[in-house]
């Protein structure tokens, strides 16, 4: 068969595989081979481990003093609370719209999650935060799906009460707020290298801070036993002081994962700009439907999305269920957070919480908010196919 025949317009174009990750760059292979040959999978086996190099590179990229590579973003959040020395029973405000691992990390640290309402734009409701913050000892701002809450207002509220802000920036790598990098605004920023995030190591995470005391405590508790903190290139004095004073939770990253992330760092700017282009392109098409609203970015926010969220308006619950089913058949599975069974982002499923919360605004949002993957690697032609599928499925259920 000639190439022309293969490329003929009649040839069916495959629907993009939106649920697959992007391949790991070729550049990772030599380093992975080297690590396999030496067997140096543990970060403290050698000097200059890929984990330490990742920490240096990540801190430099973010413009902060310190980074600590760990086994997940959840581990980073847990260590943040421990590093801040929050006592057992301390109350930590989080948005009611986040992933179950976030309140879990608070429970893990013997603290109590305080759920705050989120609005139809997926962001923290400032009036509800204002109402609850006086009972809280810390805030974890989870920028869920990369939607940045109003950081000026939140930082001002926290500063007025002298309580620390931790940014859960798992889905916000590359997002800017007023020109500043998300994850650098709070006392500590936490990121994820799980496969559905912009840098994919399968599993992994990193925490960043400018505070020597916090990073020293977090390094020790992440599992830098004996004098292994010397293999971190940071704050010897503070680490030496905390040596043997803190428990070791062993939440380290392994060197293969660090090598995978390091190879993807040069890809990050492209992923961020292509992801934003794809998101804004599909958002504009979806917003032509009278049944769909895609919330805008906040004026100070420059997003780095790899998925799209939108609200369905004027549809019954049955129609919304039918819509989710129709999108699945079309190959772009939309999840409606509040309608899919056991959803880990629906707060009423977090039955492990020590205190339960009623959040009517968040609940209403979760019942109509749709979530679809939109990877940065898609071309605009593929984005059109995704937008067509999302709009056609809507046509079917509203006909
Ligand atoms: C993925 C994610 C997490 C959890 O990250 P892990 O690395 O899987 O622990 C936490 N918060 C948000 C907003 C996330 O997107």
């Amino acid at each position: 068969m000639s190439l022309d025949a293969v490329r003929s317009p009649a040839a069916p174009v495959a629907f993009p595989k939106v649920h697959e990750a992007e391949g790991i760059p070729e550049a990772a292979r030599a380093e992975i081979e080297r690590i396999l040959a030496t067997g140096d999978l543990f970060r403290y086996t050698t000097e200059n481990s890929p984990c330490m190099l990742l920490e240096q590179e990540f801190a430099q990229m973010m413009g902060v003093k310190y980074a600590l590579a760990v086994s997940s973003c959840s581990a980073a959040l847990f260590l943040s609370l421990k590093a801040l020395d929050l006592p057992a029973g301390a109350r930590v405000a989080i948005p009611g719209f986040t992933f179950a691992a976030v309140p879990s990390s608070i429970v893990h640290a013997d603290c109590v999650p305080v759920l705050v309402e989120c609005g139809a734009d997926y962001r923290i409701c400032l009036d509800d935060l204002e109402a609850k913050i006086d009972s809280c000892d810390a805030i974890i701002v989870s920028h869920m799906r990369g939607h940045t809450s109003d950081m000026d207002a939140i930082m001002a509220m926290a500063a007025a009460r002298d309580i620390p802000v931790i940014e859960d920036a798992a889905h916000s790598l590359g997002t800017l707020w007023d020109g500043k990098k998300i994850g650098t605004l709070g006392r500590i920023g936490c990121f994820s290298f799980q496969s559905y995030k912009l840098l994919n190591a399968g599993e992994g995470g990193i925490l960043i801070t400018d505070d020597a005391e916090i990073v020293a405590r977090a390094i020790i508790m992440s599992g830098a036993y004996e004098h292994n903190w010397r293999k971190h290139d940071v704050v010897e004095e503070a680490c030496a002081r905390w040596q043997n004073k803190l428990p070791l939770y062993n939440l380290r990253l392994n060197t293969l994962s660090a090598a995978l992330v390091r190879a993807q760092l040069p890809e990050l700017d492209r992923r961020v700009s292509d992801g934003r282009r794809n998101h804004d392109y599909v958002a504009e098409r979806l917003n032509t439907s009278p049944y769909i609203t895609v919330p805008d970015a906040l004026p100070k926010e420059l997003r780095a999305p790899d998925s799209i969220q939108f609200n369905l308006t004027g549809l019954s619950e049955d129609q919304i269920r039918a819509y989710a089913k129709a999108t699945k058949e079309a190959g772009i599975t939309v999840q409606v957070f509040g309608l899919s069974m056991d959803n880990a982002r629906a707060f009423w499923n977090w039955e492990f919480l020590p205190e339960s919360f009623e959040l009517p605004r968040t609940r209403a949002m979760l019942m109509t908010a749709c979530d679809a993957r939109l990877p940065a690697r898609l071309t605009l032609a593929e984005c059109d196919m995704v937008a067509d599928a999302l709009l056609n499925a809507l046509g079917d259920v509203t006909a």
Side-chain angles (χ1 to χ4, degrees):
M1 196 175 10
S2 76
L3 263 181
D4 285 347
V6 174
R7 288 190 187 138
S8 82
V13 183
F15 194 80
K17 294 193 166 81
V18 295
H19 303 282
E20 287 182 4
E22 186 170 319
I24 302 299
E26 194 57 38
R29 286 176 205 267
E31 175 69 348
I32 298 285
E33 284 296 338
R34 187 193 66 75
I35 294 171
L36 294 182
T38 57
D40 290 336
L41 299 168
F42 180 55
R43 70 169 293 163
Y44 296 137
T45 308
T46 56
E47 303 292 326
N48 298 320
S49 143
C51 292
M52 191 191 80
L53 298 175
L54 171 65
E55 289 166 351
Q56 289 173 336
E57 290 159 0
F58 201 87
Q60 190 183 22
M61 177 179 89
M62 298 303 290
V64 297
K65 286 189 187 152
Y66 311 114
L68 170 64
V70 289
S71 54
S72 68
C73 180
S74 305
L77 291 168
F78 163 76
L79 285 172
S80 299
L81 296 169
K82 301 301 286 182
L84 286 164
D85 203 16
L86 291 175
R91 299 173 69 79
V92 181
I94 54 167
F97 176 43
T98 185
F99 185 60
V102 176
S104 302
S105 69
I106 298 171
V107 170
H108 189 188
D110 286 326
C111 299
V112 178
V114 174
L115 273 49
V116 177
E117 285 270 33
C118 293
D121 68 354
Y122 318 130
R123 297 174 174 89
I124 294 174
C125 292
L126 298 173
D127 60 343
D128 199 41
L129 181 60
E130 184 88 53
K132 290 171 176 164
I133 193 175
D134 284 326
S135 74
C136 293
D137 306 287
I139 308 175
I140 295 182
V141 183
S142 199
H143 302 295
M144 187 53 173
R145 285 291 190 272
H147 298 286
T148 316
S149 287
D150 184 336
M151 287 306 287
D152 293 354
I154 293 171
M155 294 308 294
M157 270 189 225
R161 293 157 180 90
D162 196 24
I163 65 173
V165 173
I166 300 166
E167 286 186 88
D168 167 16
H171 238 139
S172 297
L173 185 57
T175 299
L176 299 181
W177 175 262
D178 205 10
K180 297 194 237 3
K181 294 187 170 74
I182 281 298
T184 66
L185 301 172
R187 183 91 58 93
I188 307 172
C190 300
F191 297 86
S192 175
F193 302 136
Q194 187 264 345
S195 285
Y196 285 132
K197 316 297 156 104
L198 274 192
L199 299 174
N200 168 19
E203 301 278 6
I206 200 161
L207 76 77
I208 60 173
T209 184
D210 281 328
D211 189 315
E213 200 67 8
I214 285 174
V215 81
R217 290 172 55 86
I219 286 170
I220 303 263
M221 286 188 278
S222 76
Y225 59 95
E226 297 163 357
H227 279 67
N228 280 313
W229 46 263
R230 288 198 172 135
K231 294 176 177 151
H232 279 267
D233 183 31
V234 290
V235 284
E236 304 238 332
E237 182 273 326
C239 286
R241 208 160 13 86
W242 286 109
Q243 172 97 65
N244 294 339
K245 307 273 191 312
L246 297 167
L248 306 171
Y249 295 106
N250 282 11
L251 300 166
R252 296 170 300 251
L253 190 69
N254 81 67
T255 61
L256 278 179
S257 304
L260 293 172
V261 175
R262 291 184 69 216
Q264 292 169 66
L265 291 177
E267 309 288 319
L268 187 60
D269 286 349
R270 174 190 56 81
R271 290 181 186 176
V272 167
S273 57
D274 289 358
R276 185 185 306 131
R277 174 202 64 191
N278 288 353
H279 176 277
D280 293 352
Y281 183 80
V282 172
E284 196 171 318
R285 289 211 48 208
L286 295 185
N287 271 330
T288 60
S289 164
Y291 300 103
I292 292 184
T293 311
V294 188
D296 282 331
L298 295 184
K300 289 191 174 175
E301 182 189 24
L302 190 60
R303 295 187 286 200
D306 63 354
S307 64
I308 188 162
Q309 290 72 43
F310 54 93
N311 297 322
L312 294 174
T313 48
L315 299 187
S316 69
E317 191 176 314
D318 283 348
Q319 280 176 311
I320 295 176
R321 282 184 197 280
Y323 178 67
K325 192 155 166 271
T327 58
K328 189 165 186 185
E329 281 155 16
I332 167 95
T333 306
V334 159
Q335 71 165 329
V336 181
F337 297 108
L339 291 183
S340 70
M341 181 99 130
D342 292 338
N343 196 296
R345 299 148 199 93
F347 64 87
W348 53 88
N349 288 329
W350 305 339
E351 294 177 27
F352 55 86
L353 294 186
E355 287 176 27
S356 64
F357 292 83
E358 241 340 296
L359 306 172
R361 280 180 271 177
T362 311
R363 182 182 285 269
M365 175 272 284
L366 290 168
M367 299 309 272
T368 65
C370 296
D371 179 42
R373 296 216 23 94
L374 196 60
R377 66 181 155 74
L378 299 198
T379 63
L380 284 185
E382 290 174 321
C383 288
D384 267 323
M385 295 170 76
V386 169
D388 287 342
L390 292 173
L391 291 166
N392 290 342
L394 194 57
D396 292 347
V397 301
T398 55

